[in-house]
Amino acid sequence: MMSDRENLERPLLSVKGLKVAFKTKKGMAYAVDDVTFDVYKGEVFGLAGESGSGKSTIALSILRLIEEPGRIEAGSIIFDGKNVLEFTQKELQEYRWHDVSMVFQGAMNSFNPVMRIGEQLVDAIMAHSNMTEEEAYKRAEELIAMVGIDKMFINRYPFELSGGMKQRAMIAMALVLNPKLLIADEPTTSIDVIRQVEVLRLLKGLQNKLGLSMIYITHDLSLMAAIADRVGIMYAGKLVEQGTVTQIYKTPAHPYTKLLLESIPKLDDKGQRLAGIPGQPPNPMSYPSGCRFHNRCPFAMNICSRELPELRELGSIWPEELQPSAVNTPQSGHYVACHLWDKARAGPNDTRYQPLSPLQKEAQ
Amino acid sequence: MTLFAQDIIQAQNVSVKFKVRNVDFYALKNVDFEISRATSISLVGASGSGKSTLAKVLLGFLKPTDGTVLYKGKNVYALEGKDLMEFRKNVQPIFQDPYYSLNPVRKIRHALEMGLFLSGLSKQEKERAIYDSLKLVGLNPPEDFLDKYPHQLSGGQRQRVAIARAFIGKPEVIIADEPVSMLDVSMRAEILNLIIDEMKRQETAFMFITHDLAVAKYVSKRIAVINVGEIVEVGNMNDVISSPAHPYTKLLMDSVLSPDPDKAREKLEKFNKDAMIANAEIPGCEKPGVKYVEVGEGHYVKCS
């Protein structure tokens, strides 16, 4: 299904070969390394990964907000047919917030503390449109109602709102100019579980109602499962797997995704022990050679420490190590970067695909 | 909420009151809570519910405005001399943020030595215990870590040190306040397993504070749910999870999404906070003056 769509429809946003580096005292840190994905109209594309995996850097790159000492070194970002990386300052101003807006991480603290909520919305509207103050105020009221905040709060200061309310107000702020794409970067991380679900419901509802496209970024795979249509899994600056939400969760094709899903405690677990993943995510200053996950991967082979696997559509034979729990999920549109997928094709005598010993792993 | 003979720490009718802009605010209100020998209990609630305040009260860090905290029958806030030392040795904390819980100008060795301060072990025995404890928490070989400063370790490694430090003096009780919430998802399961294994091996009583019901279920046999400073439900984990009785517990259960797209979507669609709160009837609460009802064996629910 997905590949039909890929052939027929032009994506709203197309990120290709994106590489972002930060210059540090200790050398270059490649926060995002050769990442490619598309976001279609009206879909929620999820980017999942741990801290430091590059999720937020991708978001900032899309808005051209990477600043010194960071730099977009390679790749292209095409929005609605236009190359974002070649925009002039004026074009950027017309692009940011009009076309693409963002709800930032810890957004509750991004309001100006000495301005009323309503004023801040009106400010944003007037700075980017020809509305009169009266019209802008009306629009602000509409938005506040849309995100489920009582009208009386429009003239309050940020500190007078609860955390959940500020988060909603921030979502209203992101929608003031009717953007086509909304980037939500961990929008619920600092609020408690009940409000989290409410904000998620709100976002999903708005996305349906307004026909928005959305990039949803989180480290929480349970929240992701509830909101995303397609998901990309980030590890150490690389997109290691990409597919529909069903493909990713029911038939994970990368050992990292599979192990990560298995290491989350679930309410309906029957008391089985969680496996966990040994080790820790690598430092962006010193990624392991070859596949960046190989020194934590229980299935690592000789080739894994030497060659970086490419993101490719799944083959037809599932590697025995990754046998999926559900078999009927279509594989088209499901991409993975893992050498295990080549093992089946190689003969049993091909030493490249023999397991890496723990000692060899240690030495990397 | 009976008093069991094996209770090590008991909070009885504890309240903590703060003044906010001259208005009284209760962080805890009439809370009864027990930690019993060799069992684990999770305290679950949202941010601001009073979870951490209760931990501080039980650890002897924050004297409650009203009520008493007993350690083996003695008032914690009146302990002196030897008794106070025994309490400090036997009741150990693990905090949420491993970046703040280790002294930045002292080596890892020092953190562990302090955990053995009251152990009465000889110098050699202490050295041995320190090596063993680092191995146990997966910091192997220990000599690679002993002379490092906290900033030279990652967050996960630091939390392992904090866990080693808490367990090293063989305490009777450990009170852990959100010990995995600052860690990356891929490392959480290992740290939780570490805590569970050590708890079983040393028969330590454990109080685990978390906002995540699924984590609570993984770690503990009992659960207490706290909301706005009051314990609203307490009981055996399986009983509470399979038949939650208080509306707040139900709401909390409805907010737990699972990493399964079908289930998570269904839950998100059905979620209805207002309906949940409206259906707030608990059988047995209609009688006047009833504070808690027992809905099952050892399963208590607060009447609102």
Side-chain angles (χ1 to χ4, degrees), chain A residues 1-38:
Chain A
M1 223 180 87
M2 203 43 72
S3 52
D4 290 350
R5 184 175 199 181
E6 280 165 17
N7 293 332
L8 292 172
E9 203 181 313
R10 186 177 77 176
L12 179 66
L13 176 83
S14 192
V15 174
K16 277 205 174 63
L18 183 69
K19 192 169 192 167
V20 185
F22 288 85
K23 204 172 175 179
T24 75
K25 276 186 211 156
K26 290 175 187 164
M28 297 299 271
Y30 289 92
V32 174
D33 192 359
D34 197 8
V35 165
T36 297
F37 65 91
D38 293 331

Short mmCIF file of all heavy atoms in Angstrom, two decimals, chain A residues 1-38:
data_model
loop_
_atom_site.label_atom_id
_atom_site.label_comp_id
_atom_site.label_asym_id
_atom_site.label_seq_id
_atom_site.Cartn_x
_atom_site.Cartn_y
_atom_site.Cartn_z
N MET A 1 0.84 -1.20 0.00
CA MET A 1 0.00 0.00 0.00
C MET A 1 0.87 1.24 0.00
O MET A 1 0.69 2.17 -0.78
CB MET A 1 -0.88 0.00 1.24
CG MET A 1 -2.28 0.41 0.93
SD MET A 1 -3.27 0.39 2.43
CE MET A 1 -2.97 2.03 3.06
N MET A 2 1.84 1.20 0.91
CA MET A 2 2.68 2.37 1.06
C MET A 2 3.46 2.67 -0.20
O MET A 2 3.64 3.81 -0.57
CB MET A 2 3.61 2.16 2.25
CG MET A 2 4.13 3.43 2.84
SD MET A 2 2.88 4.70 2.99
CE MET A 2 1.92 4.07 4.34
N SER A 3 3.88 1.60 -0.90
CA SER A 3 4.70 1.87 -2.07
C SER A 3 3.85 2.44 -3.20
O SER A 3 4.33 3.23 -4.00
CB SER A 3 5.44 0.61 -2.52
OG SER A 3 4.52 -0.43 -2.68
N ASP A 4 2.54 2.07 -3.23
CA ASP A 4 1.64 2.70 -4.20
C ASP A 4 1.63 4.20 -3.95
O ASP A 4 1.78 5.01 -4.86
CB ASP A 4 0.20 2.20 -4.02
CG ASP A 4 0.08 0.76 -4.46
OD1 ASP A 4 1.05 0.27 -5.08
OD2 ASP A 4 -0.95 0.14 -4.18
N ARG A 5 1.49 4.52 -2.67
CA ARG A 5 1.41 5.91 -2.27
C ARG A 5 2.70 6.63 -2.64
O ARG A 5 2.69 7.75 -3.16
CB ARG A 5 1.19 5.97 -0.77
CG ARG A 5 1.00 7.37 -0.29
CD ARG A 5 0.68 7.36 1.17
NE ARG A 5 0.07 8.62 1.52
CZ ARG A 5 -0.31 8.91 2.74
NH1 ARG A 5 -0.17 8.03 3.71
NH2 ARG A 5 -0.84 10.08 3.00
N GLU A 6 3.80 5.93 -2.39
CA GLU A 6 5.09 6.54 -2.69
C GLU A 6 5.22 6.85 -4.18
O GLU A 6 5.86 7.82 -4.56
CB GLU A 6 6.23 5.61 -2.23
CG GLU A 6 6.48 5.73 -0.74
CD GLU A 6 7.32 4.60 -0.20
OE1 GLU A 6 7.97 3.91 -1.00
OE2 GLU A 6 7.32 4.41 1.01
N ASN A 7 4.61 5.99 -5.00
CA ASN A 7 4.70 6.22 -6.45
C ASN A 7 3.77 7.32 -6.92
O ASN A 7 4.08 8.08 -7.82
CB ASN A 7 4.39 4.93 -7.21
CG ASN A 7 5.46 3.88 -6.96
OD1 ASN A 7 6.60 4.24 -6.71
ND2 ASN A 7 5.07 2.63 -7.03
N LEU A 8 2.59 7.40 -6.29
CA LEU A 8 1.55 8.28 -6.81
C LEU A 8 1.63 9.70 -6.28
O LEU A 8 1.37 10.65 -7.01
CB LEU A 8 0.17 7.72 -6.44
CG LEU A 8 -0.21 6.41 -7.12
CD1 LEU A 8 -1.49 5.86 -6.54
CD2 LEU A 8 -0.35 6.63 -8.63
N GLU A 9 2.00 9.81 -5.03
CA GLU A 9 1.80 11.07 -4.38
C GLU A 9 3.12 11.76 -4.09
O GLU A 9 4.08 11.12 -3.67
CB GLU A 9 1.10 10.79 -3.04
CG GLU A 9 0.33 11.94 -2.48
CD GLU A 9 -0.29 11.51 -1.15
OE1 GLU A 9 -0.88 10.41 -1.10
OE2 GLU A 9 -0.15 12.26 -0.18
N ARG A 10 3.18 13.04 -4.30
CA ARG A 10 4.40 13.76 -3.95
C ARG A 10 4.36 14.03 -2.45
O ARG A 10 3.36 14.53 -1.94
CB ARG A 10 4.46 15.09 -4.70
CG ARG A 10 5.78 15.81 -4.48
CD ARG A 10 5.86 17.07 -5.28
NE ARG A 10 5.06 18.11 -4.66
CZ ARG A 10 5.00 19.36 -5.12
NH1 ARG A 10 5.65 19.70 -6.21
NH2 ARG A 10 4.26 20.25 -4.50
N PRO A 11 5.45 13.69 -1.73
CA PRO A 11 5.42 13.95 -0.29
C PRO A 11 5.39 15.45 0.01
O PRO A 11 5.87 16.25 -0.78
CB PRO A 11 6.72 13.32 0.21
CG PRO A 11 7.55 13.03 -0.96
CD PRO A 11 6.69 13.04 -2.17
N LEU A 12 4.81 15.80 1.15
CA LEU A 12 4.77 17.20 1.57
C LEU A 12 6.18 17.63 1.96
O LEU A 12 6.63 18.72 1.63
CB LEU A 12 3.84 17.35 2.78
CG LEU A 12 3.70 18.74 3.35
CD1 LEU A 12 3.03 19.68 2.35
CD2 LEU A 12 2.93 18.72 4.66
N LEU A 13 6.86 16.73 2.68
CA LEU A 13 8.23 17.02 3.10
C LEU A 13 9.10 15.84 2.72
O LEU A 13 8.73 14.69 2.93
CB LEU A 13 8.29 17.22 4.62
CG LEU A 13 9.69 17.44 5.18
CD1 LEU A 13 10.11 18.89 5.04
CD2 LEU A 13 9.76 17.03 6.64
N SER A 14 10.25 16.16 2.16
CA SER A 14 11.15 15.09 1.76
C SER A 14 12.54 15.41 2.27
O SER A 14 13.15 16.39 1.86
CB SER A 14 11.12 15.00 0.23
OG SER A 14 11.74 13.83 -0.17
N VAL A 15 13.02 14.60 3.20
CA VAL A 15 14.36 14.80 3.75
C VAL A 15 15.25 13.73 3.12
O VAL A 15 14.93 12.55 3.17
CB VAL A 15 14.34 14.65 5.29
CG1 VAL A 15 15.76 14.71 5.86
CG2 VAL A 15 13.47 15.73 5.92
N LYS A 16 16.36 14.17 2.51
CA LYS A 16 17.23 13.20 1.82
C LYS A 16 18.67 13.37 2.24
O LYS A 16 19.22 14.46 2.17
CB LYS A 16 17.12 13.40 0.30
CG LYS A 16 15.94 12.70 -0.30
CD LYS A 16 16.18 12.39 -1.78
CE LYS A 16 15.02 11.56 -2.31
NZ LYS A 16 13.72 12.29 -2.25
N GLY A 17 19.27 12.28 2.69
CA GLY A 17 20.71 12.26 3.01
C GLY A 17 21.14 13.35 3.97
O GLY A 17 22.26 13.86 3.89
N LEU A 18 20.28 13.70 4.91
CA LEU A 18 20.58 14.81 5.83
C LEU A 18 21.73 14.45 6.77
O LEU A 18 21.75 13.39 7.39
CB LEU A 18 19.34 15.17 6.66
CG LEU A 18 19.50 16.36 7.60
CD1 LEU A 18 19.64 17.66 6.82
CD2 LEU A 18 18.33 16.45 8.57
N LYS A 19 22.70 15.36 6.82
CA LYS A 19 23.86 15.15 7.69
C LYS A 19 24.10 16.44 8.45
O LYS A 19 24.30 17.49 7.84
CB LYS A 19 25.07 14.80 6.82
CG LYS A 19 26.25 14.28 7.59
CD LYS A 19 27.29 13.72 6.60
CE LYS A 19 28.35 12.94 7.33
NZ LYS A 19 29.16 12.14 6.42
N VAL A 20 24.06 16.37 9.78
CA VAL A 20 24.26 17.57 10.59
C VAL A 20 25.39 17.32 11.57
O VAL A 20 25.40 16.31 12.28
CB VAL A 20 22.98 17.93 11.38
CG1 VAL A 20 23.17 19.26 12.11
CG2 VAL A 20 21.78 17.99 10.46
N ALA A 21 26.37 18.24 11.58
CA ALA A 21 27.52 18.06 12.47
C ALA A 21 27.63 19.24 13.43
O ALA A 21 27.28 20.37 13.09
CB ALA A 21 28.79 17.94 11.65
N PHE A 22 28.09 18.94 14.63
CA PHE A 22 28.37 20.00 15.60
C PHE A 22 29.86 19.98 15.88
O PHE A 22 30.44 18.93 16.16
CB PHE A 22 27.58 19.77 16.90
CG PHE A 22 26.12 20.03 16.74
CD1 PHE A 22 25.27 19.03 16.27
CD2 PHE A 22 25.59 21.27 17.03
CE1 PHE A 22 23.92 19.27 16.10
CE2 PHE A 22 24.22 21.51 16.87
CZ PHE A 22 23.39 20.52 16.42
N LYS A 23 30.46 21.16 15.82
CA LYS A 23 31.89 21.26 16.09
C LYS A 23 32.06 21.39 17.60
O LYS A 23 31.44 22.26 18.22
CB LYS A 23 32.42 22.51 15.40
CG LYS A 23 33.88 22.47 15.09
CD LYS A 23 34.22 23.68 14.24
CE LYS A 23 35.71 23.76 14.00
NZ LYS A 23 36.01 24.93 13.16
N THR A 24 32.85 20.50 18.19
CA THR A 24 33.08 20.58 19.63
C THR A 24 34.57 20.61 19.89
O THR A 24 35.37 20.37 18.98
CB THR A 24 32.49 19.37 20.37
OG1 THR A 24 33.33 18.25 20.14
CG2 THR A 24 31.08 19.05 19.92
N LYS A 25 34.93 20.87 21.14
CA LYS A 25 36.35 20.90 21.51
C LYS A 25 36.99 19.56 21.23
O LYS A 25 38.16 19.47 20.92
CB LYS A 25 36.48 21.21 23.01
CG LYS A 25 36.44 22.68 23.32
CD LYS A 25 36.73 22.89 24.81
CE LYS A 25 36.00 24.13 25.30
NZ LYS A 25 35.75 24.07 26.74
N LYS A 26 36.20 18.48 21.38
CA LYS A 26 36.76 17.15 21.23
C LYS A 26 36.63 16.60 19.81
O LYS A 26 36.87 15.43 19.58
CB LYS A 26 36.08 16.18 22.21
CG LYS A 26 36.45 16.45 23.65
CD LYS A 26 35.65 15.55 24.56
CE LYS A 26 35.87 15.91 26.02
NZ LYS A 26 34.84 15.32 26.88
N GLY A 27 36.19 17.44 18.89
CA GLY A 27 36.07 16.98 17.51
C GLY A 27 34.65 17.13 17.00
O GLY A 27 33.81 17.73 17.66
N MET A 28 34.41 16.61 15.79
CA MET A 28 33.09 16.76 15.18
C MET A 28 32.13 15.71 15.74
O MET A 28 32.47 14.55 15.89
CB MET A 28 33.19 16.57 13.67
CG MET A 28 34.04 17.60 12.97
SD MET A 28 33.36 19.26 13.19
CE MET A 28 32.27 19.32 11.78
N ALA A 29 30.91 16.16 16.04
CA ALA A 29 29.88 15.23 16.49
C ALA A 29 28.81 15.17 15.41
O ALA A 29 28.17 16.18 15.12
CB ALA A 29 29.28 15.70 17.81
N TYR A 30 28.66 14.00 14.80
CA TYR A 30 27.65 13.85 13.76
C TYR A 30 26.32 13.45 14.39
O TYR A 30 26.06 12.27 14.59
CB TYR A 30 28.12 12.87 12.69
CG TYR A 30 29.23 13.46 11.87
CD1 TYR A 30 30.57 13.26 12.22
CD2 TYR A 30 28.93 14.29 10.80
CE1 TYR A 30 31.58 13.86 11.49
CE2 TYR A 30 29.94 14.89 10.07
CZ TYR A 30 31.27 14.68 10.42
OH TYR A 30 32.27 15.29 9.71
N ALA A 31 25.53 14.44 14.72
CA ALA A 31 24.28 14.20 15.43
C ALA A 31 23.27 13.50 14.52
O ALA A 31 22.48 12.68 14.97
CB ALA A 31 23.71 15.50 15.95
N VAL A 32 23.29 13.88 13.24
CA VAL A 32 22.40 13.25 12.26
C VAL A 32 23.26 12.86 11.08
O VAL A 32 24.03 13.67 10.57
CB VAL A 32 21.29 14.23 11.81
CG1 VAL A 32 20.46 13.62 10.69
CG2 VAL A 32 20.40 14.61 12.98
N ASP A 33 23.18 11.61 10.65
CA ASP A 33 24.11 11.12 9.65
C ASP A 33 23.37 10.37 8.54
O ASP A 33 22.96 9.23 8.71
CB ASP A 33 25.13 10.20 10.34
CG ASP A 33 26.31 9.89 9.44
OD1 ASP A 33 26.31 10.38 8.28
OD2 ASP A 33 27.21 9.17 9.88
N ASP A 34 23.19 11.05 7.42
CA ASP A 34 22.60 10.43 6.24
C ASP A 34 21.19 9.89 6.51
O ASP A 34 20.93 8.71 6.37
CB ASP A 34 23.52 9.30 5.75
CG ASP A 34 23.19 8.89 4.31
OD1 ASP A 34 22.38 9.59 3.68
OD2 ASP A 34 23.72 7.87 3.85
N VAL A 35 20.30 10.80 6.90
CA VAL A 35 18.93 10.40 7.22
C VAL A 35 17.98 10.79 6.09
O VAL A 35 18.02 11.91 5.60
CB VAL A 35 18.48 11.02 8.55
CG1 VAL A 35 16.96 10.93 8.72
CG2 VAL A 35 19.18 10.34 9.72
N THR A 36 17.16 9.84 5.68
CA THR A 36 16.23 10.05 4.57
C THR A 36 14.83 9.59 4.97
O THR A 36 14.67 8.47 5.45
CB THR A 36 16.69 9.24 3.33
OG1 THR A 36 17.97 9.73 2.93
CG2 THR A 36 15.70 9.36 2.19
N PHE A 37 13.85 10.46 4.82
CA PHE A 37 12.46 10.04 5.02
C PHE A 37 11.51 11.04 4.37
O PHE A 37 11.91 12.17 4.07
CB PHE A 37 12.12 9.88 6.51
CG PHE A 37 12.18 11.15 7.31
CD1 PHE A 37 11.05 11.94 7.47
CD2 PHE A 37 13.37 11.57 7.90
CE1 PHE A 37 11.10 13.12 8.21
CE2 PHE A 37 13.43 12.74 8.65
CZ PHE A 37 12.29 13.52 8.80
N ASP A 38 10.28 10.63 4.15
CA ASP A 38 9.25 11.49 3.57
C ASP A 38 8.09 11.61 4.54
O ASP A 38 7.81 10.68 5.29
CB ASP A 38 8.70 10.89 2.27
CG ASP A 38 9.74 10.86 1.16
OD1 ASP A 38 10.63 11.74 1.18
OD2 ASP A 38 9.67 9.96 0.31
#
